[in-house]
Every structure is written in C-alpha cells, then in structure tokens.
Amino acid sequence: MFDLRQRGVLGINERNRAYIMRCNPRKFYPLVDDKYATKQLCLEHGINTPEPYGLIQTQRDVKQLAEIVKEKKRFVIKPAHGSGGNGIIVIDDVRPIPDAEDLYIKSSGQAMRMPELFFHMDNIISGLFSLGGKSDQVLIEYCVKLHPFFKDISYKGVPDIRIIVYQGVPVMAMLRLPTRASDGKANLHTGGIGIGLSLAKGQTTYAVQFNRRISMHPDHGHALTDLVIPEWDTLVALAAKVESVLGLHYVGIDIVLDAEKGPMLLEANARPGISIQIANNTGLKHRLDAVDAALPGLATMEDKIAFAQARF
Ligand SMILES: Nc1ncnc2c1ncn2[C@@H]1O[C@H](COP(=O)(O)OP(=O)(O)O)[C@@H](O)[C@H]1O
Ligand SMILES: [Mg+2]
C-alpha cells in the first residue's frame, strides 16, 4: 500500500504552513508574481533570461506589438502575472502572404493574424489570465531555441526544468515536456509530461502524464528515462543563484535550455506545486528534513550545491 506519510510526501497544507509561510516573506511576492519584474532583477544580477522585447500596459497600446516584432520571426507573448501556461502564445515563424496580412505561426503549427494577437493581448490586459482576474500587462520576449538534445523527446514547444530550492539548497528537479495536448507549453495540467531528474547528474528517472506513469512519449514513442540533461551543473547553479537574489527560500525555479544561449531563467514561483513528487516517485519531506539537519554545516552556495548533488 502506498503510504504517503512514510514516503515523505509533502501535502499542500504542510507546504503552505511549514515552508511557504515561513520561508517566503510576503513583501517579495509581487516581485516573483510579476515575470517582467523578475526578469529585470535577473538582468541586474547578470542572470541569463530570455530578452524582453517589450511590455504593454494598456489596451490603447496593443498595436505597438507590430512595431516591437517587426524584424522578428520568433517571439513569445505572455501575461506578466500569468501561471500554468495560461495565455501564453509561442510564435515560431512569420509567413508573409502576397497582398494579405502576414501569418504568425504558433509552435503548434496553427496560424494567427496580427488583429487576433491584438485581441489576445486585450484579453491579457483585462485580466483574463491573471491571478484573481486583476488587470495585467503583456510581456513580449525572446522565443527560446530548442536545444538539439530535446529534438526527439519534445513535441512542438520548449521543455522547461523546474527545480525546487529550499534555503539555498536545490532539493528536487523535474523536466517538463510539451506534448500534442499542451500547445507548445510544458505545464503539466495542460498535458505536458513530468519527468523526475537526479540532482547529481540531471538524469531522467521516472515519467508521468496526467499523474500516471508512462515510459515513452505519447506523440512519437521515444524513451524518456536514462537521458542526461546537457549543461546540468550550470543549470543547477543558476537555480541556486536565482533563489539567493529573490529573498524567497522555498521556491520553484523554471529554467529553459537554449540551443545557443544555454540555461536561462524563465520564471520563479513562490508557491511551487507538489506534483514534482509524483514525477520523481519520491516525497519532498525527507529531503527538506535532510537540508534542515545539514544547513548549519553548509556555509556557501557551493557547499549547498555540493550537498544536493551528493545526496539527491
Ligand atoms: N520565451 C519562451 N520561449 C519558448 N517557450 C516559452 C517561453 N516562455 C514560455 N514558454 C513555454 O511556456 C511554458 C510556461 O512558461 P512560464 O513563463 O513558466 O509561464 P507560466 O507561469 O504560465 O508557467 C514554458 O514551460 C515553455 O514551454
Ligand atoms: Mg512556469
């Protein structure tokens, strides 16, 4: 019988009470809840993140998009306060049509025209995708180039790597892969695949989709376990660095791996989900307790990373 407590599975109430409330001062929430603000802070600290092309704050200004992306074939539109992949449009290509408007091609292959993008941005600003329905801003940013490592195992979109960092120590990691169902985004509830990763090597261990174990990618059948993520140590160090500049000490850091620019910070989450435990087939509790016990002996960021990679 699957005994949750014995396996150290962290539930949502305990996560909130024992970790989020204790480790994440409320005053820093606005910073991580705003993807544009997080990005600015990262840029100030020399942390690699997709370049912001523009921020649009009012419905009157949505037409500025045409100017902002004039020279670009690839870009991403997202709500600055969005979550769960909602409201994100990944544009992969622009196709000029003689005597008609250009077509903007989403990573799913579906085409959109500029007025549809304006309409979508209007919806973002009116709060359709933001926490609590509050009015929002539109962030337009660099579209990450798929790293060749992911060519076989992703489906029309860019995977991301979620790392939970607790008190400066990376404690659990998962790779999320877009699927046919998830429309160019890697978020799990949209149909993305979650794959547990060893912190030591970035090796894939166990894969789930819709909380059920799978052994191969549902769209093309490639095997998903025993792969090793490239540039793993840089990626883990990036997660630890972001935690240290944010001032939050129980955070989910989302990182993407760009074919040319390497690991980049996508966003940080002050309330990281608990399903990472399902993807790793392991509970968080034992790891968090191990960190608490070891913390007095871990002085530097390097010590904390070395501890994580030796233990997890
Ligand atoms: N700049 C980008 N380039 C390519 N894909 C992106 C980009 N930004 C987001 N995505 C896709 O959308 C997913 C969710 O993005 P994220 O910024 O983490 O927003 P959310 O808060 O909605 O999770 C990512 O996992 C990735 O698959
Ligand atoms: Mg995310």
Side-chain angles (χ1 to χ4, degrees), residues 61-81:
D61 292 335
V62 297
K63 293 195 169 142
Q64 289 177 8
L65 176 72
E67 189 58 32
I68 292 171
V69 302
K70 201 170 66 184
E71 308 287 328
K72 311 212 177 321
K73 284 209 163 281
R74 309 178 69 246
F75 58 91
V76 171
I77 293 175
K78 65 171 77 167
H81 294 81

PDB file of all heavy atoms in Angstrom, residues 61-81:
ATOM      1  N   ASP A  61      -2.435  50.567 -26.245  1.00  0.00           N
ATOM      2  CA  ASP A  61      -1.084  50.372 -26.793  1.00  0.00           C
ATOM      3  C   ASP A  61      -0.845  49.016 -27.469  1.00  0.00           C
ATOM      4  O   ASP A  61       0.260  48.754 -27.923  1.00  0.00           O
ATOM      5  CB  ASP A  61      -0.041  50.540 -25.677  1.00  0.00           C
ATOM      6  CG  ASP A  61       0.026  51.976 -25.175  1.00  0.00           C
ATOM      7  OD1 ASP A  61      -0.332  52.890 -25.952  1.00  0.00           O
ATOM      8  OD2 ASP A  61       0.413  52.168 -24.014  1.00  0.00           O
ATOM      9  N   VAL A  62      -1.869  48.150 -27.530  1.00  0.00           N
ATOM     10  CA  VAL A  62      -1.593  46.797 -28.046  1.00  0.00           C
ATOM     11  C   VAL A  62      -1.040  46.809 -29.473  1.00  0.00           C
ATOM     12  O   VAL A  62      -0.258  45.929 -29.838  1.00  0.00           O
ATOM     13  CB  VAL A  62      -2.814  45.830 -27.963  1.00  0.00           C
ATOM     14  CG1 VAL A  62      -3.240  45.594 -26.525  1.00  0.00           C
ATOM     15  CG2 VAL A  62      -3.960  46.311 -28.805  1.00  0.00           C
ATOM     16  N   LYS A  63      -1.413  47.831 -30.244  1.00  0.00           N
ATOM     17  CA  LYS A  63      -0.936  47.876 -31.644  1.00  0.00           C
ATOM     18  C   LYS A  63       0.564  48.093 -31.752  1.00  0.00           C
ATOM     19  O   LYS A  63       1.150  47.886 -32.817  1.00  0.00           O
ATOM     20  CB  LYS A  63      -1.702  48.942 -32.424  1.00  0.00           C
ATOM     21  CG  LYS A  63      -3.164  48.530 -32.580  1.00  0.00           C
ATOM     22  CD  LYS A  63      -3.906  49.306 -33.619  1.00  0.00           C
ATOM     23  CE  LYS A  63      -5.247  48.629 -33.861  1.00  0.00           C
ATOM     24  NZ  LYS A  63      -6.323  49.548 -34.089  1.00  0.00           N
ATOM     25  N   GLN A  64       1.186  48.499 -30.636  1.00  0.00           N
ATOM     26  CA  GLN A  64       2.655  48.649 -30.642  1.00  0.00           C
ATOM     27  C   GLN A  64       3.352  47.319 -30.922  1.00  0.00           C
ATOM     28  O   GLN A  64       4.517  47.293 -31.288  1.00  0.00           O
ATOM     29  CB  GLN A  64       3.153  49.187 -29.297  1.00  0.00           C
ATOM     30  CG  GLN A  64       2.789  50.638 -29.063  1.00  0.00           C
ATOM     31  CD  GLN A  64       3.232  51.106 -27.677  1.00  0.00           C
ATOM     32  OE1 GLN A  64       3.927  50.392 -26.952  1.00  0.00           O
ATOM     33  NE2 GLN A  64       2.823  52.313 -27.313  1.00  0.00           N
ATOM     34  N   LEU A  65       2.617  46.221 -30.715  1.00  0.00           N
ATOM     35  CA  LEU A  65       3.219  44.909 -30.964  1.00  0.00           C
ATOM     36  C   LEU A  65       3.813  44.837 -32.369  1.00  0.00           C
ATOM     37  O   LEU A  65       4.916  44.321 -32.565  1.00  0.00           O
ATOM     38  CB  LEU A  65       2.185  43.790 -30.781  1.00  0.00           C
ATOM     39  CG  LEU A  65       2.711  42.392 -31.107  1.00  0.00           C
ATOM     40  CD1 LEU A  65       3.682  41.925 -30.016  1.00  0.00           C
ATOM     41  CD2 LEU A  65       1.584  41.383 -31.259  1.00  0.00           C
ATOM     42  N   ALA A  66       3.069  45.381 -33.357  1.00  0.00           N
ATOM     43  CA  ALA A  66       3.514  45.296 -34.750  1.00  0.00           C
ATOM     44  C   ALA A  66       4.920  45.874 -34.900  1.00  0.00           C
ATOM     45  O   ALA A  66       5.780  45.300 -35.582  1.00  0.00           O
ATOM     46  CB  ALA A  66       2.523  46.029 -35.657  1.00  0.00           C
ATOM     47  N   GLU A  67       5.177  46.996 -34.236  1.00  0.00           N
ATOM     48  CA  GLU A  67       6.475  47.650 -34.299  1.00  0.00           C
ATOM     49  C   GLU A  67       7.530  46.830 -33.526  1.00  0.00           C
ATOM     50  O   GLU A  67       8.642  46.613 -34.006  1.00  0.00           O
ATOM     51  CB  GLU A  67       6.326  49.061 -33.699  1.00  0.00           C
ATOM     52  CG  GLU A  67       7.519  49.970 -33.875  1.00  0.00           C
ATOM     53  CD  GLU A  67       7.903  50.191 -35.330  1.00  0.00           C
ATOM     54  OE1 GLU A  67       7.007  50.178 -36.194  1.00  0.00           O
ATOM     55  OE2 GLU A  67       9.121  50.342 -35.591  1.00  0.00           O
ATOM     56  N   ILE A  68       7.125  46.344 -32.358  1.00  0.00           N
ATOM     57  CA  ILE A  68       8.070  45.620 -31.492  1.00  0.00           C
ATOM     58  C   ILE A  68       8.603  44.359 -32.173  1.00  0.00           C
ATOM     59  O   ILE A  68       9.773  44.006 -32.037  1.00  0.00           O
ATOM     60  CB  ILE A  68       7.390  45.258 -30.139  1.00  0.00           C
ATOM     61  CG1 ILE A  68       7.116  46.534 -29.336  1.00  0.00           C
ATOM     62  CG2 ILE A  68       8.233  44.275 -29.317  1.00  0.00           C
ATOM     63  CD1 ILE A  68       6.268  46.333 -28.083  1.00  0.00           C
ATOM     64  N   VAL A  69       7.751  43.667 -32.928  1.00  0.00           N
ATOM     65  CA  VAL A  69       8.189  42.392 -33.513  1.00  0.00           C
ATOM     66  C   VAL A  69       8.461  42.495 -35.024  1.00  0.00           C
ATOM     67  O   VAL A  69       8.631  41.471 -35.697  1.00  0.00           O
ATOM     68  CB  VAL A  69       7.170  41.244 -33.234  1.00  0.00           C
ATOM     69  CG1 VAL A  69       6.975  41.070 -31.737  1.00  0.00           C
ATOM     70  CG2 VAL A  69       5.830  41.489 -33.921  1.00  0.00           C
ATOM     71  N   LYS A  70       8.538  43.742 -35.510  1.00  0.00           N
ATOM     72  CA  LYS A  70       8.675  43.971 -36.951  1.00  0.00           C
ATOM     73  C   LYS A  70       9.794  43.155 -37.601  1.00  0.00           C
ATOM     74  O   LYS A  70       9.619  42.554 -38.649  1.00  0.00           O
ATOM     75  CB  LYS A  70       8.906  45.467 -37.184  1.00  0.00           C
ATOM     76  CG  LYS A  70       8.575  45.914 -38.578  1.00  0.00           C
ATOM     77  CD  LYS A  70       8.598  47.425 -38.684  1.00  0.00           C
ATOM     78  CE  LYS A  70      10.019  47.920 -38.468  1.00  0.00           C
ATOM     79  NZ  LYS A  70      10.120  49.384 -38.460  1.00  0.00           N
ATOM     80  N   GLU A  71      10.945  43.124 -36.942  1.00  0.00           N
ATOM     81  CA  GLU A  71      12.104  42.442 -37.526  1.00  0.00           C
ATOM     82  C   GLU A  71      12.232  41.000 -37.028  1.00  0.00           C
ATOM     83  O   GLU A  71      13.248  40.363 -37.255  1.00  0.00           O
ATOM     84  CB  GLU A  71      13.389  43.185 -37.151  1.00  0.00           C
ATOM     85  CG  GLU A  71      13.382  44.680 -37.455  1.00  0.00           C
ATOM     86  CD  GLU A  71      13.489  44.954 -38.936  1.00  0.00           C
ATOM     87  OE1 GLU A  71      14.148  44.153 -39.631  1.00  0.00           O
ATOM     88  OE2 GLU A  71      12.883  45.942 -39.401  1.00  0.00           O
ATOM     89  N   LYS A  72      11.234  40.498 -36.297  1.00  0.00           N
ATOM     90  CA  LYS A  72      11.407  39.203 -35.644  1.00  0.00           C
ATOM     91  C   LYS A  72      10.514  38.121 -36.232  1.00  0.00           C
ATOM     92  O   LYS A  72       9.376  38.369 -36.568  1.00  0.00           O
ATOM     93  CB  LYS A  72      11.111  39.339 -34.148  1.00  0.00           C
ATOM     94  CG  LYS A  72      11.830  40.517 -33.526  1.00  0.00           C
ATOM     95  CD  LYS A  72      12.187  40.251 -32.107  1.00  0.00           C
ATOM     96  CE  LYS A  72      12.958  41.363 -31.447  1.00  0.00           C
ATOM     97  NZ  LYS A  72      13.963  42.053 -32.194  1.00  0.00           N
ATOM     98  N   LYS A  73      11.100  36.933 -36.323  1.00  0.00           N
ATOM     99  CA  LYS A  73      10.318  35.802 -36.821  1.00  0.00           C
ATOM    100  C   LYS A  73       9.823  34.930 -35.676  1.00  0.00           C
ATOM    101  O   LYS A  73       8.983  34.054 -35.862  1.00  0.00           O
ATOM    102  CB  LYS A  73      11.171  34.955 -37.775  1.00  0.00           C
ATOM    103  CG  LYS A  73      11.343  35.589 -39.143  1.00  0.00           C
ATOM    104  CD  LYS A  73      11.515  34.498 -40.196  1.00  0.00           C
ATOM    105  CE  LYS A  73      11.296  34.971 -41.611  1.00  0.00           C
ATOM    106  NZ  LYS A  73       9.918  35.107 -42.008  1.00  0.00           N
ATOM    107  N   ARG A  74      10.411  35.137 -34.502  1.00  0.00           N
ATOM    108  CA  ARG A  74      10.042  34.295 -33.370  1.00  0.00           C
ATOM    109  C   ARG A  74       9.938  35.157 -32.116  1.00  0.00           C
ATOM    110  O   ARG A  74      10.819  35.967 -31.853  1.00  0.00           O
ATOM    111  CB  ARG A  74      11.109  33.206 -33.160  1.00  0.00           C
ATOM    112  CG  ARG A  74      11.415  32.438 -34.443  1.00  0.00           C
ATOM    113  CD  ARG A  74      12.500  31.394 -34.254  1.00  0.00           C
ATOM    114  NE  ARG A  74      12.047  30.311 -33.425  1.00  0.00           N
ATOM    115  CZ  ARG A  74      12.517  30.028 -32.232  1.00  0.00           C
ATOM    116  NH1 ARG A  74      13.476  30.735 -31.723  1.00  0.00           N
ATOM    117  NH2 ARG A  74      12.029  29.023 -31.534  1.00  0.00           N
ATOM    118  N   PHE A  75       8.879  34.995 -31.377  1.00  0.00           N
ATOM    119  CA  PHE A  75       8.714  35.735 -30.118  1.00  0.00           C
ATOM    120  C   PHE A  75       7.611  35.075 -29.299  1.00  0.00           C
ATOM    121  O   PHE A  75       6.870  34.223 -29.807  1.00  0.00           O
ATOM    122  CB  PHE A  75       8.389  37.214 -30.390  1.00  0.00           C
ATOM    123  CG  PHE A  75       7.157  37.431 -31.226  1.00  0.00           C
ATOM    124  CD1 PHE A  75       5.906  37.587 -30.637  1.00  0.00           C
ATOM    125  CD2 PHE A  75       7.249  37.461 -32.621  1.00  0.00           C
ATOM    126  CE1 PHE A  75       4.768  37.774 -31.418  1.00  0.00           C
ATOM    127  CE2 PHE A  75       6.106  37.643 -33.399  1.00  0.00           C
ATOM    128  CZ  PHE A  75       4.871  37.807 -32.798  1.00  0.00           C
ATOM    129  N   VAL A  76       7.547  35.456 -28.035  1.00  0.00           N
ATOM    130  CA  VAL A  76       6.528  34.900 -27.146  1.00  0.00           C
ATOM    131  C   VAL A  76       5.744  36.046 -26.523  1.00  0.00           C
ATOM    132  O   VAL A  76       6.306  37.072 -26.150  1.00  0.00           O
ATOM    133  CB  VAL A  76       7.190  34.038 -26.043  1.00  0.00           C
ATOM    134  CG1 VAL A  76       6.188  33.622 -24.977  1.00  0.00           C
ATOM    135  CG2 VAL A  76       7.834  32.800 -26.662  1.00  0.00           C
ATOM    136  N   ILE A  77       4.424  35.864 -26.457  1.00  0.00           N
ATOM    137  CA  ILE A  77       3.540  36.828 -25.797  1.00  0.00           C
ATOM    138  C   ILE A  77       3.022  36.167 -24.539  1.00  0.00           C
ATOM    139  O   ILE A  77       2.530  35.036 -24.599  1.00  0.00           O
ATOM    140  CB  ILE A  77       2.334  37.148 -26.717  1.00  0.00           C
ATOM    141  CG1 ILE A  77       2.812  37.905 -27.956  1.00  0.00           C
ATOM    142  CG2 ILE A  77       1.262  37.929 -25.980  1.00  0.00           C
ATOM    143  CD1 ILE A  77       1.698  38.156 -28.958  1.00  0.00           C
ATOM    144  N   LYS A  78       3.144  36.833 -23.389  1.00  0.00           N
ATOM    145  CA  LYS A  78       2.609  36.207 -22.179  1.00  0.00           C
ATOM    146  C   LYS A  78       2.095  37.222 -21.175  1.00  0.00           C
ATOM    147  O   LYS A  78       2.551  38.363 -21.157  1.00  0.00           O
ATOM    148  CB  LYS A  78       3.641  35.279 -21.540  1.00  0.00           C
ATOM    149  CG  LYS A  78       4.890  35.947 -21.010  1.00  0.00           C
ATOM    150  CD  LYS A  78       5.745  34.968 -20.203  1.00  0.00           C
ATOM    151  CE  LYS A  78       6.546  34.005 -21.072  1.00  0.00           C
ATOM    152  NZ  LYS A  78       7.586  33.287 -20.303  1.00  0.00           N
ATOM    153  N   PRO A  79       1.131  36.792 -20.360  1.00  0.00           N
ATOM    154  CA  PRO A  79       0.663  37.675 -19.290  1.00  0.00           C
ATOM    155  C   PRO A  79       1.762  37.807 -18.236  1.00  0.00           C
ATOM    156  O   PRO A  79       2.306  36.787 -17.804  1.00  0.00           O
ATOM    157  CB  PRO A  79      -0.552  36.943 -18.708  1.00  0.00           C
ATOM    158  CG  PRO A  79      -0.633  35.612 -19.374  1.00  0.00           C
ATOM    159  CD  PRO A  79       0.438  35.487 -20.392  1.00  0.00           C
ATOM    160  N   ALA A  80       2.093  39.042 -17.822  1.00  0.00           N
ATOM    161  CA  ALA A  80       3.160  39.231 -16.836  1.00  0.00           C
ATOM    162  C   ALA A  80       2.819  38.542 -15.516  1.00  0.00           C
ATOM    163  O   ALA A  80       3.701  38.118 -14.787  1.00  0.00           O
ATOM    164  CB  ALA A  80       3.416  40.720 -16.615  1.00  0.00           C
ATOM    165  N   HIS A  81       1.520  38.428 -15.223  1.00  0.00           N
ATOM    166  CA  HIS A  81       1.105  37.779 -13.972  1.00  0.00           C
ATOM    167  C   HIS A  81       0.385  36.464 -14.218  1.00  0.00           C
ATOM    168  O   HIS A  81      -0.502  36.083 -13.450  1.00  0.00           O
ATOM    169  CB  HIS A  81       0.199  38.710 -13.163  1.00  0.00           C
ATOM    170  CG  HIS A  81       0.898  39.931 -12.659  1.00  0.00           C
ATOM    171  ND1 HIS A  81       1.109  41.035 -13.454  1.00  0.00           N
ATOM    172  CD2 HIS A  81       1.474  40.202 -11.462  1.00  0.00           C
ATOM    173  CE1 HIS A  81       1.772  41.955 -12.748  1.00  0.00           C
ATOM    174  NE2 HIS A  81       2.013  41.464 -11.540  1.00  0.00           N
TER     175      HIS A  81
END
